[in-house]
Amino acid sequence: MKGLLVLTALCVAVFGKKTFEGNQVLQITAKDEAQISLLKELSEQEHLELDFWREPIHESLPVDVHVPFHSLQDVRAFLGNNQIQYDVMIMDVQVLLDDEEREMVKYRSSPKSTDDFVYTAYHNLSEINSFINMLVAENRKLVSKIVIGRSYKKRPLNVLKFSTGANRPGIWIDTGIHSREWVTQASGTWFAKKIVKDYKRDPVLTDILNNYDIFLEIVTNPDGFAFTHSKNRMWRKTRKPNPGSKCVGVDPNRNWDAGFGGAGSSGNPCSETYRGPRANSESEVKAIVDFVKSHGKLKAYVSIHSYSQMLLYPYGYTHTPAKDDAELNELAEKAVSSLQSLYNTRYRYGSIINTIYQASGGTIDWTYNQGIKYSYTFELRDTGTYGFLLPADQIVPTAEETWLALMTIMKHTRKNPY
Amino acid sequence: MKTFCSVWLLLSLVELSPAPPASQEPPLACTGAPDPAPPQPETAEDMASTGDLEPTHYPARRAAQVALHYLNTHHGSPFRVFGLQQVHKASAEDVGAGGRKYKLDFSVTDWGSGSAGPALRCSADVLFPRTERHSAPEVQLHCEALHQINSTAQEDDAFYQKYISPDSAVSARDIPDSFGNMSEEMQPFWRLARVAASFIMLRESSENTEFNMAKVASVTQQESREEQLMLEFVVLLHDFPSQEIVQWKLLASWSPDRGVRVLQTEWQPRCPHATKPPN
């Protein structure tokens, strides 16, 4: 084993960071023998490191040459000065290679267990659904999957239930209600694994699970999520068409029955904050509403978004402070402080309407009005540098620090039954 | 050895994590720009938004973001972009002719060094005029020790020399890609785009907006002019309050001496029926 590692390390050293970024493949059309001779001379310039895919032979045959980025200027200058015609066949070789690898990845065998699963990368819908099924299969005593409803396009709305006994009060966490906020779904998968890893190992979590169920919906907006992979990385809403409009989708975080229709949401279907024709018009929202009402004993509700590094509590639709404002504020401060303790990531906290903006028809305003006191919304990393396009190497650090805040909230819920 | 290594690495390809994807196509469905936001009603918050402001709340933060855009237009470069770290103190007052002026005390950090890097303390006055048609906010800014932070002159010059050549023809899309990946090569272009976009974000800002650059859809190098690097960018801006993604095409010049200048900007609505930008 050690030998293999050494060998691999050696190979990595030998190759260094080989990349074909910026390399191009040019197709050259020589018009006469003189130009062919020139091209032959060019091919002899070793320092250019040209890689001829089709050598210069005769003016009737195209010449294809793979040119490294560092030689592009010289080669173009040479061709220009000698009035040799050419076209760019491949604009960037690395892009093509990346495409190819992506195709190869699709045919690679998928992870065989949740230990195999790559938490440091972003995944698509089918990969996350496979993860969910594997997690359940590996932990049947602790984890089960509930399908609480279907999306507009009939995709299942999957919720993981972590439970060690019957008739328990519950804690709800959802990620990915806004599909472009990819770090949230990614963190959700990490949280799921974290729970099974820490049960019976971490006394605090074990105590929570011995008294409360945890419900985790990782892809709360699957239609939107699929769309961010296939067509538009910046898609936020659901994918339900709006009659009479060219514009698709409703903002699922303006569709709840709390201050519905007020300022802080839009009546325009083309808007990113379109509230929908009526509260709970979106099946993705209705499914959760039905679940919450029929469960009847949820004691904490956390809805996770990105970006801007905030921990928020009700209300968003009104300036009237929530009845439990003081307690929610104090708990938020503690949660943010535990979050920051890990990587020094700074969060702001406060009510939605003060801290971020007025927003009506929002999730946690509704859940709070249902009597779920500990209702919080997170906005995860970052603060605008990468925004929605957070590099994958930040997934795990984000999930780790957020988990500390979640544990603070869950622990407080456990210690303060109501 | 090299052949052996190629074989070895090929074999170990199965161990590698998934590669970055190809660039996304522009949205097929016409998503459209919303109607211009109606004037915000006078809420209790508006009334309270004079005098001392809570530094972590959005009125102070939006004003600070405007000051930040201003800072980047003046001091941003391919190797320097500032980000807001924290607002320390803020206050606002109504001024004559219906404008509101914010006084801010805040810290910024260089993106390059991350939030752990040295913070620069700044103070700014930001005036949002209240006119019928939108006009750009006015900013007066002072940052301590601006000239003491490590100079990027060397990197700036090397970058300039590399791309000023007449045959340089940089062209790239989706920086970063869907997965947040960006090559090292593209980072200075990304920063330049952010600086150039700051001109637009500054101009389009109001008390009801909070802009960031979501991504660079494309960069295409144009023929250099008067010894300036000429770059055409298409950028996607994200506005927080409306959550809209707004697309702008712009032409910018840069050189180590003259810094970034924006020569042309063009809002690119995604629907033929939309007539003017959200503001």
Side-chain angles (χ1 to χ4, degrees), chain A residues 397-409:
Chain A
T398 302
E400 287 174 332
E401 66 192 11
T402 308
W403 185 247
L404 297 181
L406 286 172
M407 284 294 286
T408 305
I409 292 170

Side-chain angles (χ1 to χ4, degrees), chain B residues 59 62-64 66-67 95 97-102 104 126-131 134-138 202 205-209:
Chain B
R62 287 181 195 173
V66 170
V95 297
R100 183 177 288 161
K101 187 199 279 202
Y102 289 72
L104 304 159
V126 177
L127 170 65
F128 291 106
R130 297 258 182 93
T131 50
H134 172 78
S135 48
E138 291 161 32
L202 174 62
S205 286
S206 73
E207 286 166 284
N208 300 319
T209 61

Side-chain angles (χ1 to χ4, degrees), chain A residues 4-5 7-12 14-15 17 21 24 69 72-74 76-77 91-92 95 97-99 101-102 104-105 108 118 120-123 180-182 227-236 239 246-248 251 254 263 266 268-273 306-308 310 319 343-346 348-358 379 383-392, chain B residues 1-2 4-6 8-9 12-35 40-41 43-46 55-59 61-62 65 84-86 111 115-116 161-163 165 167-171 175-187 190 194 210-215 236 238 240-245 270-273:
Chain A
L4 294 174
L5 280 170
L7 208 53
T8 313
L10 200 61
C11 283
V12 171
V14 164
F15 264 84
K17 242 163 100 183
E21 244 159 45
Q24 297 192 337
F69 186 90
L72 260 178
Q73 250 166 245
D74 291 336
R76 282 169 177 257
M91 277 290 265
D92 189 324
V95 169
L97 289 174
D98 293 344
D99 284 350
E101 234 227 90
R102 211 168 114 254
M104 283 165 57
V105 167
R108 251 182 244 160
V118 181
T120 51
Y122 288 109
H123 294 275
R180 63 189 179 197
E181 298 164 7
W182 277 17
F227 200 71
T228 58
H229 277 272
S230 63
K231 291 277 184 330
N232 182 351
R233 176 62 177 83
M234 294 293 173
W235 192 260
R236 166 184 166 90
R239 285 298 301 165
K246 259 194 272 213
C247 298
V248 175
D251 183 345
R254 299 289 186 280
S266 169
N268 182 340
C270 295
S271 166
E272 295 280 22
T273 55
S306 76
Y307 58 94
S308 72
M310 294 176 179
H319 278 100
Y343 297 112
N344 202 29
T345 305
R346 288 173 198 244
R348 289 162 289 225
Y349 61 94
S351 68
I352 297 169
I353 196 167
N354 286 334
T355 314
I356 192 168
Y357 41 52
Q358 183 171 24
E379 292 276 358
T383 54
T385 308
Y386 287 94
F388 300 120
L389 306 180
L390 195 70
Chain B
M1 186 63 190
K2 240 188 171 181
F4 176 90
C5 279
S6 346
W8 179 259
L9 281 175
S12 43
L13 254 175
V14 288
E15 245 78 75
L16 291 176
S17 47
S23 51
Q24 296 291 320
E25 286 125 284
L28 295 182
C30 172
T31 51
D35 294 334
Q40 295 295 313
T43 59
E45 178 74 61
D46 280 348
T56 56
H57 290 179
Y58 69 78
R61 200 176 57 245
R62 287 181 195 173
Q65 189 79 341
L84 186 64
Q85 190 202 54
Q86 207 187 344
W111 277 5
S115 60
Q161 291 308 325
K162 187 170 178 185
Y163 293 103
S165 143
D167 292 305
S168 176
V170 172
S171 171
I175 308 161
D177 66 15
S178 288
F179 298 58
N181 294 322
M182 182 183 345
S183 66
E184 222 179 288
E185 180 89 49
M186 283 299 126
Q187 282 195 18
W190 176 62
R194 176 62 162 88
E210 201 172 331
F211 285 110
N212 275 302
M213 184 178 81
K215 89 172 188 185
L236 298 182
H238 173 232
F240 239 93
S242 66
Q243 288 294 337
E244 296 294 335
I245 302 282
R270 286 168 300 163
C271 242
H273 64 258

Side-chain angles (χ1 to χ4, degrees), chain B residues 13-210:
Chain B
L13 254 175
V14 288
E15 245 78 75
L16 291 176
S17 47
S23 51
Q24 296 291 320
E25 286 125 284
L28 295 182
C30 172
T31 51
D35 294 334
Q40 295 295 313
E42 284 283 304
T43 59
E45 178 74 61
D46 280 348
M47 303 306 202
S49 266
T50 47
D52 284 335
L53 301 176
E54 177 59 53
T56 56
H57 290 179
Y58 69 78
R61 200 176 57 245
R62 287 181 195 173
Q65 189 79 341
V66 170
L68 178 79
H69 295 319
Y70 179 89
L71 174 64
N72 280 322
T73 59
H74 281 71
H75 294 280
S77 79
F79 294 91
R80 172 148 296 136
V81 173
F82 290 104
L84 186 64
Q85 190 202 54
Q86 207 187 344
V87 180
H88 303 289
K89 281 211 312 251
S91 65
E93 59 177 354
D94 287 329
V95 297
R100 183 177 288 161
K101 187 199 279 202
Y102 289 72
K103 277 180 143 34
L104 304 159
D105 170 13
F106 59 102
S107 292
V108 299
T109 52
D110 182 354
W111 277 5
S113 33
S115 60
L120 217 62
R121 194 70 172 244
C122 299
S123 64
D125 283 357
V126 177
L127 170 65
F128 291 106
R130 297 258 182 93
T131 50
E132 274 273 318
R133 283 187 64 223
H134 172 78
S135 48
E138 291 161 32
V139 181
Q140 287 181 326
L141 174 74
H142 171 73
C143 292
E144 288 170 6
L146 197 54
H147 300 287
Q148 281 174 28
I149 44 175
N150 291 334
S151 162
T152 59
Q154 240 184 355
E155 296 109 309
D156 287 346
D157 276 330
F159 176 77
Y160 179 76
Q161 291 308 325
K162 187 170 178 185
Y163 293 103
I164 196 63
S165 143
D167 292 305
S168 176
V170 172
S171 171
R173 295 182 59 96
D174 295 324
I175 308 161
D177 66 15
S178 288
F179 298 58
N181 294 322
M182 182 183 345
S183 66
E184 222 179 288
E185 180 89 49
M186 283 299 126
Q187 282 195 18
F189 292 101
W190 176 62
R191 288 185 210 112
L192 270 177
R194 176 62 162 88
V195 174
S198 299
F199 284 81
I200 300 175
M201 294 191 283
L202 174 62
R203 191 183 69 200
E204 300 297 317
S205 286
S206 73
E207 286 166 284
N208 300 319
T209 61
E210 201 172 331

Side-chain angles (χ1 to χ4, degrees), chain A residues 3-185:
Chain A
L4 294 174
L5 280 170
V6 170
L7 208 53
T8 313
L10 200 61
C11 283
V12 171
V14 164
F15 264 84
K17 242 163 100 183
K18 179 77 176 173
T19 163
F20 297 92
E21 244 159 45
N23 290 16
Q24 297 192 337
V25 176
L26 309 179
Q27 181 160 84
I28 304 171
T29 315
K31 65 174 190 227
D32 54 32
E33 215 181 292
Q35 290 199 340
I36 290 287
S37 301
L38 284 171
L39 290 170
K40 283 190 179 148
E41 271 174 41
L42 184 70
S43 70
E44 272 144 36
Q45 303 296 309
E46 296 235 353
H47 68 282
L48 292 175
E49 292 184 283
L50 299 180
D51 168 23
F52 281 84
W53 291 4
R54 281 200 281 197
E55 303 276 342
I57 300 169
H58 189 274
E59 64 262 29
S60 63
L61 298 168
V63 175
D64 295 341
V65 58
H66 171 204
V67 183
F69 186 90
H70 66 80
S71 304
L72 260 178
Q73 250 166 245
D74 291 336
V75 170
R76 282 169 177 257
F78 177 86
L79 295 172
N81 292 337
N82 290 292
Q83 295 176 315
I84 303 177
Q85 226 210 333
Y86 70 94
D87 286 299
V88 179
M89 244 177 30
I90 299 175
M91 277 290 265
D92 189 324
V93 174
Q94 187 61 42
V95 169
L96 221 62
L97 289 174
D98 293 344
D99 284 350
E100 185 185 69
E101 234 227 90
R102 211 168 114 254
E103 281 307 299
M104 283 165 57
V105 167
K106 275 200 212 151
Y107 293 103
R108 251 182 244 160
S109 46
S110 337
K112 301 228 168 38
S113 77
T114 60
D115 286 323
D116 249 355
F117 189 83
V118 181
Y119 296 92
T120 51
Y122 288 109
H123 294 275
N124 63 25
L125 187 59
S126 76
E127 287 164 352
I128 295 180
N129 282 333
S130 301
F131 166 86
I132 287 171
N133 293 333
M134 274 193 303
L135 190 77
V136 170
E138 293 162 15
N139 300 278
R140 290 209 183 277
K141 277 171 68 178
L142 178 62
V143 193
S144 58
K145 179 176 88 172
I146 312 173
V147 183
I148 60 170
R150 299 253 153 190
S151 69
Y152 170 71
K153 301 230 169 175
K154 304 280 179 277
R155 293 185 168 95
L157 300 169
N158 294 321
V159 173
L160 284 167
K161 176 180 180 181
F162 301 86
S163 179
T164 66
N167 293 320
R168 301 264 173 88
I171 293 167
W172 170 282
I173 302 169
D174 66 62
T175 53
I177 192 170
H178 286 143
S179 35
R180 63 189 179 197
E181 298 164 7
W182 277 17
V183 72
T184 70
Q185 299 97 334

Side-chain angles (χ1 to χ4, degrees), chain A residues 333-342 401 404-405 408:
Chain A
E333 190 185 16
K334 281 211 211 95
V336 155
S337 169
S338 2
L339 189 153
Q340 189 169 346
S341 71
L342 196 56
E401 66 192 11
L404 297 181
T408 305

